[in-house]
Amino acid sequence: MAGEGGGDASRFARLGLRTAADFVLHLPIRYEDRTRIVPIAAARDGRPAQVEGVVVRSEVIGRPRRTLRIELRDDSGSLSLRFFHFYGSQLKQFAEGRRVRAFGEARAGLFGAEMVHPQCRVVHGDEPLPETMTPVYPTVAGLGQARLRAAIGAALDALDWRETVPADVVARLGLPPVAQALRAIHRPDPGASVEALADRSAPAWRRVIFDELLAQQLSLARSRRTRSLQRAPRLADGSLAARLLASMPFTPTAAQRRVWCEIASDLARAHPMNRLLQGDVGSGKTLIAALAAAQAIGSGRQAAFMAPTEILAEQHHAKLRAPLEALGARVAWLSGSSKEIDKREVRGRVAAGEIDLLIGTHALIEDSVVFARLGLAIVDEQHRFGVAQRLALRARADAGDGPGAALPHQLMMSATPIPRTLAMTYYADLDVSVLDEMPPGRKPVTTKLVSATRRDEVIARVRAAAQAGRQVYWVCPLVDESETLELQTAIDAHETLAHELAPLGVGLVHGRLPPSAKQEVMAAFAAGALPVLVATTVIEVGVDVPNASLLIVEHAERFGLSQLHQLRGRVGRGSSESVCVLLYREPLSPAARERLKTMYETNDGFEIARRDLQQRGPGEFLGARQSGDALLRFADLERDAELAVAARETAARMLEECPEGVEAHLRRWLGSREEYLKA
């Protein structure tokens, strides 16, 4: 299909359009009503409308910039068509006396009603109007709607899609046949509800959404089934984990004990564990990770622990090294910024089996890192990694076992609680454990919303907290998604605060500091030698300083809900009352106002996650499951939860009863993108 015309083929490919099925599933984002002509006098409210009239004037105006102006008139009145970008031939094309049909938004201009850059063409005689709404498709530069409509129309005319869904399921859900549904979306009937098409509540859209959800559920269910047939090393010796647990200076919560039983049981099986551990900030996920690593080590295997930032990886290394080495385990860490000589030494010891637990960043999945007997891969803050990164770590099968080697068990962790609908829909192939209980002694953090106009009061509060022996985080804002600007903002904030808070010590930490400098600053802050720490969002996860009881987030309106919740989790880790101050600047957008209101109203991570899903969609939670190709283009997890349940039930049935239908459905909907669901 995409082979027609070399230029168009490459543009189609950029849209992911290669097969006839791709074209048919490239659905409209909106429609234009060109089925009727609106009198010029009635097209004055800024809504898209189609008018038709005779050209009474056509001229190029030179000031303030060259503009082609065409005056169009019908029996009800006149309006101007204005073009800032035009060809000389258009002046001849729209000569006086020509009848022109124009589609666009009519608005009041300096010289009366006008349309700016409308779509228009010359018409001859009583040229008929389209009988259906005109679809508008997502496109790329250089590929016009007319060409795209023609290619999609050709694929649609050749459409011979057999039903892949059991007929009784389609009937029970009250859905139309899939071919009929697709035609109704691409070419709506004249009487079709524009509103129902726009909000995707029309039966045709419901059918497409169900089929998309079904493809996803089939892929995830098949992935789970395939995993149950794969080999993994049995990590059944729990003696080292039991000794580690006994050495802890605290009693685990009931939730930690329950979750550990689930994971220990999985590790002892000969099939690869693929478990997601989720729990709110401070619920004790690191202990579970340490116990899992200990069980792997005690069973004669290596464990890898990958974190998204150096600060978090260093924190895990600092926390886990002492208790595990006290029990005889060998722990090391590896990061991209480590000296090459140090990296070579660590890689050599890992390959020789002389390291039991390797903690690090993305450096763990470089080709040069070879494990002698990897039994467990732990991924912290899993949504921060890309698909290829998570698959690469999981694929580190035993180097010496050759083809058919046992796969390592995988434990993914997230402090971003995942709403039920999202877990059910996107993580159906995973076993999910939830830490739903906080350790005793942790007090809820009080959140205050403060306008930036009161910054002096905030500075006074910081000074008072520091003088009282408490410690303070000052988090700098995101700046236009630019790391360079964010860094400069942090440096400027540090200089300003150091002057305003003198003689109090103010530290600075950001992502570009050399590891040794970063460690030095963090160590000084953790030891209480630095009262105030200015930081970028590198402290979002993992930093644990119990004496820090005040957090200031500057330009809080620029952050997402989950980021704000993660940042708030940096305080409230000790016995003192803790406060999070969200400094914001007016004017606030409605979305920013809603985010700040949510942070003020609740500390419940699951409620925050639910509202974040409503406001932002699933990307923040899924991270790399959405990388590259978005796997749900049409479904909405809140709106379509009922269809998701039906899709899940249908997937289980189809896998048992009609494997041929499963293959056909997956080829049609996912093609090569199925691998993204397995990460």
Side-chain angles (χ1 to χ4, degrees):
M1 190 82 209
E4 301 172 8
D8 278 352
S10 63
R11 295 183 185 102
F12 286 143
R14 284 168 59 195
L15 288 170
L17 307 181
R18 296 175 178 86
T19 68
D22 293 335
F23 279 83
V24 172
L25 290 175
H26 193 67
L27 301 182
I29 50 174
R30 59 186 174 85
Y31 300 90
E32 295 172 347
D33 185 1
R34 303 193 186 193
T35 62
R36 62 197 182 101
I37 300 294
V38 174
I40 285 176
R44 299 287 174 92
D45 60 358
R47 292 183 183 177
Q50 182 170 240
V51 298
E52 185 177 311
V54 175
V55 176
V56 296
R57 180 181 299 137
S58 181
E59 60 185 350
V60 175
I61 302 170
R63 292 182 182 179
R65 56 185 292 189
R66 280 174 56 82
T67 302
L68 172 60
R69 176 179 175 271
I70 298 164
E71 186 177 345
L72 203 64
R73 181 171 295 168
D74 69 4
D75 293 339
S76 69
S78 64
L79 86 165
S80 297
L81 311 180
R82 286 159 57 87
F83 299 89
F84 299 111
H85 307 286
F86 60 93
Y87 298 102
S89 59
Q90 286 177 283
L91 194 59
K92 298 176 182 177
Q93 181 184 4
F94 300 122
E96 290 182 27
R98 293 279 177 88
R99 178 164 287 276
V100 170
R101 194 173 286 172
F103 183 90
E105 294 183 5
R107 299 184 180 277
L110 289 174
F111 306 103
E114 65 179 19
M115 284 184 179
V116 177
H117 277 280
Q119 300 170 46
C120 53
R121 61 192 181 88
V122 175
V123 292
H124 305 281
D126 295 327
E127 193 170 316
L129 293 164
E131 294 183 357
T132 63
M133 303 283 282
T134 301
V136 178
Y137 296 98
T139 191
V140 294
L143 184 59
Q145 288 292 324
R147 180 70 191 96
L148 196 50
R149 287 185 195 116
I152 291 171
L156 197 59
D157 289 337
L159 179 67
D160 182 23
W161 271 18
R162 310 278 170 82
E163 282 289 345
T164 53
V165 182
D168 62 308
V169 173
V170 175
R172 178 170 55 81
L173 295 173
L175 301 173
V178 64
Q180 178 185 320
L182 287 164
R183 288 194 176 94
I185 291 173
H186 285 291
R187 297 168 177 165
D189 292 333
S193 166
V194 178
E195 291 76 13
L197 287 168
D199 65 17
R200 298 184 176 177
S201 62
W205 266 113
R206 304 301 285 164
R207 175 60 202 267
V208 165
I209 288 166
F210 174 77
D211 278 30
E212 181 183 47
L213 288 165
L214 177 60
Q216 186 202 49
Q217 292 299 304
L218 283 169
S219 178
L220 292 172
R222 193 164 69 166
S223 173
R224 180 187 280 270
R225 181 173 293 191
T226 301
R227 196 173 73 249
S228 71
L229 302 175
Q230 292 171 327
R231 290 195 306 116
R234 288 182 182 272
L235 309 179
D237 188 341
S239 57
L240 187 65
R243 288 167 58 201
L244 177 64
L245 193 57
S247 72
M248 291 292 112
F250 55 82
T251 302
T253 64
Q256 285 175 314
R257 290 195 298 272
R258 182 192 73 245
V259 165
W260 172 235
C261 284
E262 294 169 354
I263 292 171
S265 174
D266 279 359
L267 293 174
R269 295 193 179 101
H271 306 295
M273 174 181 77
N274 204 24
R275 187 170 284 274
L276 174 65
L277 170 60
Q278 57 171 313
D280 212 341
V281 176
S283 59
K285 296 181 295 300
T286 305
L287 172 63
I288 303 299
L291 292 172
Q295 184 148 322
I297 296 165
S299 302
R301 293 282 176 160
Q302 293 171 300
F305 194 154
M306 188 165 74
T309 66
E310 284 197 6
I311 282 187
L312 181 52
E314 285 174 323
Q315 189 92 19
H316 284 317
H317 183 247
K319 274 188 176 181
L320 300 182
R321 181 179 180 180
L324 283 170
E325 288 188 343
L327 299 174
R330 297 161 298 182
V331 182
W333 99 290
L334 187 68
S335 80
S337 64
S338 300
K339 292 179 181 176
E340 189 54 40
I341 189 170
D342 295 333
K343 286 197 278 191
R344 274 201 302 271
E345 182 199 352
V346 170
R347 288 194 296 258
R349 294 177 64 202
V350 169
E354 297 170 1
I355 297 294
D356 299 311
L357 172 62
L358 181 62
I359 300 171
T361 57
H362 308 71
L364 267 61
I365 56 175
E366 291 175 358
D367 291 340
S368 55
V369 179
V370 177
F371 289 87
R373 53 182 192 281
L374 182 62
L376 172 67
I378 303 169
V379 182
D380 197 12
E381 292 302 315
Q382 55 84 29
H383 66 287
R384 303 269 289 260
F385 288 100
V387 166
Q389 293 164 334
R390 293 215 296 269
L391 289 175
L393 184 60
R394 191 178 68 183
R396 296 252 175 231
D398 293 14
D401 288 355
L407 289 173
H409 298 275
Q410 180 163 272
L411 175 64
M412 297 185 288
M413 305 198 300
S414 178
T416 302
I418 297 165
R420 177 183 166 277
T421 51
L422 199 61
M424 179 187 73
T425 309
Y426 264 96
Y427 293 101
D429 59 328
L430 304 184
D431 296 303
V432 180
S433 293
V434 181
L435 287 173
D436 51 7
E437 179 184 0
M438 299 297 281
R442 287 207 60 162
K443 297 183 179 180
V445 178
T446 300
T447 300
K448 297 183 181 293
L449 306 182
V450 180
S451 167
T453 57
R454 297 169 55 197
R455 190 174 182 278
D456 290 347
E457 297 174 34
V458 175
I459 295 291
R461 181 162 191 154
V462 169
R463 180 185 295 279
Q467 289 174 340
R470 312 311 304 170
Q471 287 173 276
V472 184
Y473 292 107
W474 188 289
V475 180
C476 293
L478 297 166
V479 183
D480 299 328
E481 302 300 320
S482 164
E483 188 181 355
T484 303
L485 288 173
E486 186 177 345
L487 176 64
Q488 190 57 49
T489 303
I491 293 169
D492 292 346
H494 174 252
E495 289 180 0
T496 302
L497 288 169
H499 173 72
E500 292 176 321
L501 295 171
L504 294 172
V506 180
L508 171 64
V509 65
H510 53 74
R512 291 194 191 173
L513 276 181
S516 57
K518 208 183 302 177
Q519 277 181 324
E520 185 179 339
V521 174
M522 290 306 301
F525 188 66
L530 273 178
V532 181
L533 180 66
V534 175
T536 58
T537 52
V538 293
I539 66 144
E540 181 186 332
V541 290
V543 179
D544 187 2
V545 180
N547 190 48
S549 62
L550 178 59
L551 170 79
I552 315 297
V553 181
E554 209 170 351
H555 277 293
E557 73 278 2
R558 294 181 180 174
F559 293 86
L561 262 179
S562 64
Q563 260 192 324
L564 289 173
H565 184 57
Q566 286 275 11
L567 287 168
R568 182 165 59 184
R570 298 311 102 213
V571 293
R573 293 172 170 259
S575 56
S576 299
E577 297 287 343
S578 293
V579 176
C580 168
V581 176
L582 301 180
L583 268 178
Y584 64 88
R585 289 184 185 274
E586 298 277 11
L588 290 175
S589 70
R593 190 176 298 279
E594 189 61 33
R595 286 197 299 273
L596 296 180
K597 178 172 175 280
T598 294
M599 291 297 296
Y600 179 74
E601 289 177 345
T602 181
N603 280 292
D604 183 337
F606 282 90
E607 174 60 18
I608 287 170
R610 187 188 68 78
R611 297 196 197 179
D612 202 15
L613 179 63
Q614 280 183 330
Q615 291 179 33
R616 291 158 58 91
E620 180 72 19
F621 304 93
L622 304 175
R625 284 203 174 205
Q626 292 259 124
S627 291
D629 295 7
L631 295 169
L632 281 183
R633 291 176 288 167
F634 311 124
D636 177 273
L637 296 179
E638 288 285 314
R639 180 195 64 205
D640 303 320
E642 188 178 337
L643 285 179
V645 172
R648 193 175 187 178
E649 294 168 351
T650 305
R653 174 183 159 188
M654 287 179 66
L655 283 165
E656 293 295 332
E657 298 177 3
C658 47
E660 306 86 3
V662 170
E663 289 298 329
H665 198 83
L666 288 174
R667 274 197 309 274
R668 179 179 294 172
W669 278 94
L670 291 182
S672 62
R673 295 181 300 135
E674 188 175 2
E675 186 71 7
Y676 280 88
L677 283 167
K678 298 177 183 176

